[in-house]
């Protein structure tokens, strides 16, 4: 192989390595902190006192327009279940965890969950959220 051939091979390997590095950096970007295109509606609450004084069981419908994002949040003080009623919701967590949830699927949001969600589809997504909150 001529010198120019070796140069092209080395250049190709360098470009490939740079591409992998860029892909890793993009995959490790900070999660979105702000929500957009998300419309929660409280359907009802139940006071849990006196056994769980100051807490409520809450039921919401939450609509996600196409491209909507529910910003990064913790469930440390708000354990919940989210049931996908319509559309597709993508749950994401730091470290590369990605799960696509379709109608009939759900997310268990225990106290150790920190995540965000996106509607990456072209259609509206609606979920039913049940959580315990301190109003």
């Amino acid at each position: 192989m001529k010198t120019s051939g070796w140069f092209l091979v080395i250049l190709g390997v360098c470009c490939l390595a740079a591409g992998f590095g860029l892909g890793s950096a993009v995959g490790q970007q900070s999660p979105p902190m702000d929500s957009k295109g998300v419309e929660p509606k409280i359907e009802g609450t139940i006071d849990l006192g006196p056994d769980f004084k100051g807490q409520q069981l809450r039921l919401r419908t939450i609509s996600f327009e196409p491209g909507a994002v529910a910003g990064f949040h913790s469930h440390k003080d708000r354990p919940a279940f989210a049931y996908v009623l319509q559309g597709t919701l993508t749950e994401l967590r730091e470290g590369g965890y990605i799960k696509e949830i379709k109608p009939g699927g759900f997310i268990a949001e225990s106290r150790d969950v920190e995540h965000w969600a996106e509607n990456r589809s072209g259609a509206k997504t609606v979920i039913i959220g049940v959580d315990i909150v301190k109003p």
Side-chain angles (χ1 to χ4, degrees):
M1 189 182 274
K2 295 180 182 177
T3 305
S4 63
W6 280 109
F7 175 76
L8 289 176
V9 168
I10 292 171
L11 180 63
V13 169
C14 288
C15 288
L16 187 60
F20 280 123
L22 180 60
S24 295
V26 169
Q28 294 178 14
Q29 288 180 353
S30 298
M33 301 310 268
D34 297 326
S35 296
K36 66 173 186 173
V38 179
E39 185 179 328
K41 178 184 175 192
I42 296 174
E43 301 294 348
T45 60
I46 298 173
D47 185 2
L48 296 177
D51 298 322
F52 300 98
K53 190 172 181 155
Q55 295 184 318
Q56 292 180 337
L57 180 63
R58 176 175 68 177
L59 175 74
R60 298 183 295 166
T61 53
I62 306 167
S63 300
F64 290 76
E65 295 301 322
V69 175
F72 183 77
H73 61 280
S74 168
H75 285 271
K76 180 180 177 191
D77 296 321
R78 189 175 54 87
F81 282 102
Y83 176 85
V84 177
L85 188 63
Q86 168 189 323
T88 301
L89 190 67
T90 302
E91 177 195 17
L92 302 102
R93 299 181 189 183
E94 290 184 311
Y97 175 93
I98 299 175
K99 182 179 179 185
E100 191 174 87
I101 304 103
K102 297 191 178 286
F106 69 94
I107 303 170
E109 300 165 318
S110 57
R111 293 183 182 271
D112 61 338
V113 170
E114 295 180 327
H115 65 164
W116 70 98
E118 300 176 359
N119 179 357
R120 295 180 170 182
S121 75
K124 184 177 183 177
T125 296
V126 178
I127 67 171
I128 304 294
V130 177
D131 57 4
I132 297 175
V133 295
K134 294 178 184 177

